[in-house]
Amino acid sequence: MGQATVQRLAAIVYLASEPAATSLGDTAQDLLTTMAQGALSTPTETPGILLHHFKPYLGMGLPYLSAQQTWQPELQWTDTQAASLKSIRQGLTVLLQAFLASPASSDLTCTVEGLDRSTSEAILHQLTGVIVNCPAGCSDTYRFNLREAVLEAGLVHHPEQIYLLEDTIAALLAELPALGQENSTYAIAPNTRGQSLTGNTLIMSAGATTTELLLVNLPPNNQSFFRQDLYLRSFAYAGDAINQDLICQVLLPSAWGWEELNLQNLDLPLPGEPDSLARYRLQQRLRSSAFGLSLLAAVNQLKLALHQQPSASFELQAQQWNVTQQELHSRVILPYIQRLNREVNTLLTQAGTAMEGVRSVLCVGGTATMPAISYWLKQKLPNATILSHAGTSPLTCSPIALGLATLPLYAQVIDTIQHQYSDYFLLRELLRILPAEPLPLGRILQLLENQGINTHTCQRTILHLLEGHLPAGLVPDKVDMALLTAASRQNPDYQGMATPFSRQGNQVYEVKPEMRDRLQEYLSRVLASSYQGLEDPLTMNLPIRMG
């Protein structure tokens, strides 16, 4: 393999939502990492705190070493165990380090299908880019934490080398022909599934924690669509929440002998709804005991069985349940479909598309490919062809992973503005350049332009910050604060933290010096233990075709 080809290859990091769990400290098997068609395997028995589906926690805050020399924020992981967000993110870092580990030095290693070890090691040690999937609408905090894990793992050394792409967009790209390869240095396996997506196409991706939706009107040649042609929505409800609702809506009303779970003092989540705080607290309680963990495993298997047969039974703590498919559907799946219906209606309205105009639906992930979802989609979108990919297999490449590998051929779908001008970079620039006296928006934009910032592309984010909206996750919000340990909730850096900007008139803004100084000090502490510096906007090294 030539040197030029090696230097252009990127690692494709697919953060899957449904593999098995493992323990904090050695591995974090909540995240499945693949490179092209190679899969990562992990040990199954390690001591420590069991981590399972922890991706959502990456958006709740920024890990940093406080003045008291403790890592903040710290989560109350179970009723008796705590885990800092830093250590949770470290679980992802350990997984990613498997890309570079040798079999002699680690139990966790990566191989690339079709390449011998010496060739794959040459590639992995000369990466110029890493492409990672993320949920639609994820916060800049989530993106920051993902980049930190990749940088700490040593896959690449600069944050601009890391590209994030939404799950549904990746799933779409996996179905498109890899056009233009004859003049490209990228070699991507062509679409072999025989599908041809054109016209109004709906993508639904749902695994364990999030349901993602994408609507796009694909032109015949597939390459002349751009970021602005994509309509995206997501909400935090999927397989894990279905398992919880199966417990609360079907099993719990008839249960006895469950006193050790102590669920009676919890506000149980509403079926079919994200209801984040209630779900976080319920999950915390369930993973606090061996019985709770066994119950979660049992209901997951029960759910899978009920997708294929009219009834299923299981026994736990000398009690046996027989649950019917009808009970699961009416009490759990139906509320989920009702929420899905509202989200799809909103997406169709945003795109100006009628239900009858949707020609194809692609479903990716275990939750999205449930028979009940397919049946509802056929009724909802009568003219659409329903295509399904149930998820990942150790022997095949995930559709999302394949789509990530295809991204260099369709780089125009990247959110280039978010990549170049993150919320945190713009916030830091505003804190640095604004004087104490009030300034009109036009003058503020001019000061930013003097720093080389293209304010035309990121003006919406600038205005959002000036209007008093700090980046989500800068400090844990009210819901996330309830998940922290008592000591972490009293962290003085979180107390009274507020926006330093205030509006004095019609688009005239002033910075409060005291709050600005406090926020700058806080960001300095975060960056002191981070690989990202936020001094400059990130460059975009993939060739982008403009629409």
Side-chain angles (χ1 to χ4, degrees):
M1 180 176 292
Q3 182 75 9
T5 304
V6 170
Q7 290 182 343
R8 284 174 172 81
L9 286 175
I12 310 304
V13 179
Y14 168 44
L15 307 185
S17 57
E18 293 186 279
T22 189
S23 300
L24 179 63
D26 294 320
T27 60
Q29 202 171 358
D30 170 69
L31 303 171
L32 175 66
T33 306
T34 62
M35 176 170 179
Q37 293 191 4
L40 183 70
S41 61
T42 61
T44 56
E45 294 184 6
T46 49
I49 296 176
L50 186 71
L51 294 180
H52 192 259
H53 296 160
F54 60 81
K55 285 195 299 179
Y57 297 102
L58 297 177
M60 69 177 299
L62 297 171
Y64 77 102
L65 196 60
S66 70
Q68 293 74 35
Q69 297 300 297
T70 60
W71 282 104
Q72 297 291 330
E74 187 177 55
L75 285 74
Q76 191 69 51
W77 189 254
T78 70
D79 288 348
T80 59
Q81 293 175 306
S84 70
L85 185 57
K86 167 71 173 179
S87 62
I88 291 175
R89 193 177 69 190
Q90 182 66 27
L92 173 56
T93 297
V94 169
L95 261 184
L96 298 178
Q97 286 171 337
F99 276 117
L100 305 178
S102 66
S105 64
S106 174
D107 293 330
L108 192 63
T109 58
C110 174
T111 58
V112 182
E113 184 177 332
L115 296 178
D116 59 52
R117 182 166 298 280
S118 61
T119 302
S120 62
E121 287 182 355
I123 293 171
L124 293 168
H125 285 84
Q126 298 185 59
L127 296 175
T128 58
V130 174
I131 303 171
V132 190
N133 65 310
C134 66
C138 66
S139 66
D140 201 41
T141 299
Y142 187 97
R143 291 169 175 264
F144 186 94
N145 282 325
L146 279 188
R147 287 194 176 100
E148 279 298 301
V150 173
L151 291 168
E152 187 175 5
L155 294 180
V156 290
H157 303 292
H158 305 287
E160 60 265 24
Q161 296 175 286
I162 304 167
Y163 304 95
L164 275 67
L165 186 69
E166 291 83 351
D167 290 340
T168 47
I169 301 179
L172 171 64
L173 297 187
E175 298 300 321
L176 301 182
L179 301 177
Q181 290 198 68
E182 60 277 1
N183 296 317
S184 173
T185 57
Y186 299 104
I188 307 297
N191 174 9
T192 58
R193 286 183 281 274
Q195 285 123 23
S196 178
L197 301 180
T198 59
N200 289 305
T201 299
L202 176 69
I203 311 292
M204 177 180 172
S205 174
T209 59
T210 308
T211 297
E212 314 257 348
L213 298 168
L214 162 66
L215 185 62
V216 59
N217 188 4
L218 290 172
N221 65 359
N222 286 141
Q223 278 204 322
S224 58
F225 70 96
F226 302 90
R227 179 78 190 190
Q228 59 266 29
D229 300 319
L230 308 176
Y231 296 88
L232 296 156
R233 291 189 71 81
S234 70
F235 60 100
Y237 187 100
D240 282 355
I242 289 174
N243 291 348
Q244 288 184 339
D245 287 344
L246 183 51
I247 292 172
C248 297
Q249 304 300 321
V250 179
L251 302 182
L252 188 58
S254 61
W256 53 270
W258 285 17
E259 292 82 1
E260 65 180 278
L261 290 179
N262 195 24
L263 299 183
Q264 63 272 13
N265 64 345
L266 293 181
D267 292 326
L268 299 181
L270 297 172
E273 295 296 326
D275 211 357
S276 298
L277 180 56
R279 294 197 182 279
Y280 282 147
R281 286 177 168 165
L282 175 59
Q283 197 73 2
Q284 180 188 88
R285 183 62 51 81
L286 290 171
R287 64 186 175 218
S288 294
S289 67
F291 175 53
L293 292 172
S294 297
L295 180 61
L296 284 170
V299 296
N300 188 61
Q301 294 302 312
L302 178 66
K303 176 185 67 177
L304 296 176
L306 289 173
H307 293 336
Q308 308 297 328
Q309 57 198 55
S311 65
S313 301
F314 79 98
E315 184 175 331
L316 197 62
Q317 282 201 346
Q319 184 175 359
Q320 185 168 0
W321 284 267
N322 183 70
V323 181
T324 66
Q325 195 177 76
Q326 178 58 34
E327 287 177 305
L328 172 66
H329 185 272
S330 62
R331 299 183 193 179
V332 179
I333 304 300
L334 183 58
Y336 176 41
I337 289 176
Q338 290 170 339
R339 175 60 188 257
L340 261 178
N341 190 65
R342 297 197 299 270
E343 296 291 337
V344 171
N345 286 343
T346 300
L347 204 59
L348 292 169
T349 300
Q350 290 175 340
T353 301
M355 289 183 291
E356 295 78 9
V358 177
R359 298 302 177 192
S360 300
V361 178
L362 175 64
C363 298
V364 176
T367 302
T369 53
M370 291 190 301
I373 299 298
S374 297
Y375 179 80
W376 166 72
L377 285 168
K378 290 174 183 177
Q379 305 303 310
K380 175 76 173 178
L381 307 169
N383 296 328
T385 300
I386 313 298
L387 310 170
S388 295
H389 295 301
T392 62
S393 159
L395 302 178
T396 60
C397 183
S398 155
I400 295 178
L402 181 59
L404 296 178
T406 310
L407 176 63
L409 302 177
Y410 294 93
Q412 71 271 15
V413 301
I414 295 177
D415 189 343
T416 55
I417 298 173
Q418 183 70 39
H419 177 86
Q420 292 179 294
Y421 298 115
S422 71
D423 296 355
Y424 285 115
F425 167 75
L426 292 173
L427 173 62
R428 205 165 187 228
E429 284 297 295
L430 287 171
L431 294 173
R432 189 176 63 84
I433 68 169
L434 286 188
E437 66 270 13
L439 289 179
L441 177 62
R443 177 57 179 154
I444 294 173
L445 296 178
Q446 186 179 38
L447 291 175
L448 291 171
E449 288 166 2
N450 291 342
Q451 304 302 311
I453 296 173
N454 183 355
T455 61
H456 176 72
T457 62
C458 57
Q459 183 171 332
R460 178 179 297 181
T461 302
I462 295 168
L463 189 59
H464 190 71
L465 292 169
L466 291 172
E467 288 288 339
H469 303 281
L470 291 175
L474 175 69
V475 296
D477 62 19
K478 182 178 180 180
V479 171
D480 291 334
M481 194 70 76
L483 307 180
L484 304 184
T485 62
S488 194
R489 288 196 299 271
Q490 298 303 315
N491 177 10
D493 291 330
Y494 297 156
Q495 303 302 312
M497 184 72 75
T499 176
F501 307 114
S502 62
R503 184 171 58 177
Q504 300 302 308
N506 184 21
Q507 291 197 323
V508 175
Y509 301 94
E510 182 179 30
V511 64
K512 305 169 187 175
E514 210 172 288
M515 187 58 70
R516 174 181 59 189
D517 294 345
R518 182 178 175 187
L519 191 50
Q520 284 180 318
E521 182 181 354
Y522 173 68
L523 286 173
S524 295
R525 285 182 183 162
V526 170
L527 296 175
S529 56
S530 301
Y531 290 83
Q532 298 168 80
L534 302 178
E535 289 87 3
D536 300 299
L538 302 184
T539 58
M540 176 65 69
N541 295 319
L542 291 178
I544 303 293
R545 296 189 301 114
M546 303 305 293

